[in-house]
Amino acid sequence: MSAHYDVVIVGGGIAGLSLASTLAGQCSVALIEAEQTLAYHTSARSARQLIPSYGPPVVQELTVRTLDLIAAQDAERPEPVLTPRSFMLIGDDATVRAEASGHMRPITHAEALELCPALVPESFSAAGLDTGSFACNAPVLLEDHRRRAEAGGVDIITGARVHSAQRLGTGWELGAGQEGFQSAVVVNAAGAWADELAVLSGVEKLGLQPYRRTAAIVDVENPLPEACPMVAAADDSFYFRPDDGQVLISPAEHVPSGPEDARPYPGDIERLVARLNTITILGIRGVRTAWTGLRTEAADGVPVVGFDAEATGFFWLAGQGGYGFQTSSGIAELAAGLILAGQGSAAAAAAAPAVPSARDASPASRTAEALAATRWSIRR
């Protein structure tokens, strides 16, 4: 016997959880996750920084909207999700200038050294600063989404890997773990496994590619001041930031991978430690812990959000790349509006701001209009 829902979300990372909490109370929803715990893969391995100057224009719009939505909810939380922490790019003049966006302003060499005194002066010649960037308390945000979803009636089922999916009449039937599910809409929020879920469902895959991204927490002789920005190389070869008296570092690699429970490759962190010990005075003396996540991307680098043109009721919520947390609430707002409108739900009117007219000049409208124009109906 299958349980019946309006929407079944496959994937319990930040994308699936934020959509579940946004839809909660507006329709019947189940969220199913293959692992025993939510946010086990990429969402548990984030750098925890929301950066308005990071990514293509539509991603930056989604980031601004997400920051607005999270900040509004922070007023209700006992522990905030957002803490101001600037983001600084360093490198040569041409590379910094090419990578800087409207959310980032150039700063002098002296200003950069004042902000991050651990840098060796000769290691860079130019810098840019994004002061609208925030540190993100990812566990608090994930737990808040889970709590809001369950309070709104969402059923969350873990340890339930999807093993069958088929279009049945006007809806979908899924087998996951030992249970069955029927719904009008299936949301593919499966991250690195999104194309695999599509194939299992008889839907043409989109060529979404997971990429490795490794990070580590290291002990240092000279800790960074807590006010130090997150510092990234403009050529995407590393980043680092303070982390409660230690330092988080990453080689910022972009290596293709299959969908898997990724682990660091031998030598990746060690090579970065050697480099950072030459361009900073951190004095890295040991690795406390290291991990690798997968950032899944579409070919154009834009998140894939919308109904599939050929498979009725199959909704893509994938390809967030390295922008998962920083776009999560904006994407969830947009996706919920599209799903409710697609169902012809009475609640769709309440979600209308997520799919606004071109005359609405708010950040939400610019974000929704730009993304909906490219992803409203996948492959149309």
Side-chain angles (χ1 to χ4, degrees):
M1 184 71 69
S2 296
H4 291 256
Y5 298 90
D6 295 320
V7 179
V8 170
I9 301 169
V10 180
I14 182 60
L17 276 172
S18 56
L19 176 60
S21 72
T22 304
L23 286 173
Q26 303 190 74
C27 58
S28 60
V29 180
L31 183 149
I32 55 180
E33 164 57 43
E35 304 295 345
Q36 294 296 330
T37 57
L38 296 170
Y40 174 80
H41 289 286
T42 301
S43 293
R45 310 173 195 190
S46 165
R48 303 184 181 183
Q49 184 89 4
L50 310 187
I51 309 168
S53 58
Y54 182 45
V58 69
V59 167
Q60 294 185 22
E61 288 287 352
L62 284 162
T63 301
V64 170
R65 182 59 181 158
T66 296
L67 287 169
D68 287 345
L69 291 169
I70 294 176
Q73 293 176 342
D74 263 355
E76 307 170 15
R77 298 184 179 102
E79 184 178 3
V81 169
L82 300 178
T83 303
R85 180 169 62 211
S86 296
F87 174 73
M88 186 166 73
L89 274 182
I90 61 170
D92 60 54
D93 294 301
T95 309
V96 170
R97 189 164 51 250
E99 293 300 316
S101 79
H103 295 281
M104 178 174 284
R105 63 178 176 86
I107 60 174
T108 67
H109 191 264
E111 288 173 323
L113 290 173
E114 184 176 356
L115 288 166
C116 184
L119 289 168
V120 171
E122 296 77 24
S123 64
F124 70 102
S125 59
L129 187 68
D130 179 350
T131 56
S133 176
F134 286 82
C136 174
N137 191 327
V140 169
L141 182 59
L142 289 164
E143 174 58 21
D144 190 64
H145 282 310
R146 185 203 62 77
R147 180 185 60 78
R148 289 173 184 268
E150 291 189 331
V154 175
D155 290 333
I156 297 178
I157 302 98
T158 58
R161 186 175 298 276
V162 175
H163 52 75
S164 63
Q166 59 180 327
R167 180 78 185 158
L168 209 61
T170 58
W172 287 85
E173 184 168 56
L174 277 69
Q178 302 300 312
E179 302 184 51
F181 303 84
Q182 290 186 2
S183 66
V185 175
V186 169
V187 177
N188 183 355
W193 286 264
D195 265 355
E196 288 196 355
L197 178 63
V199 171
L200 182 67
S201 305
V203 176
E204 184 181 350
K205 65 183 181 179
L206 298 181
L208 300 174
Q209 176 62 58
Y211 293 92
R212 294 171 55 83
R213 177 59 55 92
T214 300
I217 302 294
V218 296
D219 295 316
V220 297
E221 295 175 6
N222 302 302
L224 294 167
E226 281 303 313
C228 179
M230 181 175 181
V231 178
D235 65 0
D236 279 336
S237 60
F238 68 81
Y239 60 76
F240 63 85
R241 65 162 175 80
D243 192 88
D244 294 328
Q246 299 166 312
V247 177
L248 182 146
I249 66 173
S250 173
E253 82 273 35
H254 195 253
V255 178
S257 171
E260 63 179 4
D261 187 0
R263 294 289 185 267
Y265 285 164
D268 280 358
I269 292 298
E270 291 78 6
R271 284 188 290 272
L272 178 59
V273 167
R275 181 181 180 191
L276 290 178
N277 276 339
T278 63
I279 65 173
T280 75
I281 60 168
L282 288 170
I284 300 172
R285 60 190 183 202
V287 176
R288 182 69 61 93
T289 184
W291 63 90
T292 300
L294 298 177
R295 304 148 63 96
T296 302
E297 301 177 9
D300 62 2
V302 176
V304 181
V305 183
F307 283 104
D308 193 278
E310 304 299 328
T312 303
F314 191 90
F315 191 92
W316 291 88
L317 184 62
Q320 293 88 348
Y323 320 116
F325 274 94
Q326 74 175 51
T327 62
S328 56
S329 295
I331 282 182
E333 179 184 60
L334 171 61
L338 294 174
I339 289 168
L340 292 171
Q343 283 187 287
S345 166
V355 195
S357 73
R359 293 186 297 274
D360 186 343
S362 69
S365 75
R366 293 197 302 273
T367 296
E369 185 183 11
L371 193 57
T374 57
R375 299 305 197 204
W376 178 278
S377 193
I378 309 303
R379 284 190 296 268
R380 176 165 291 175

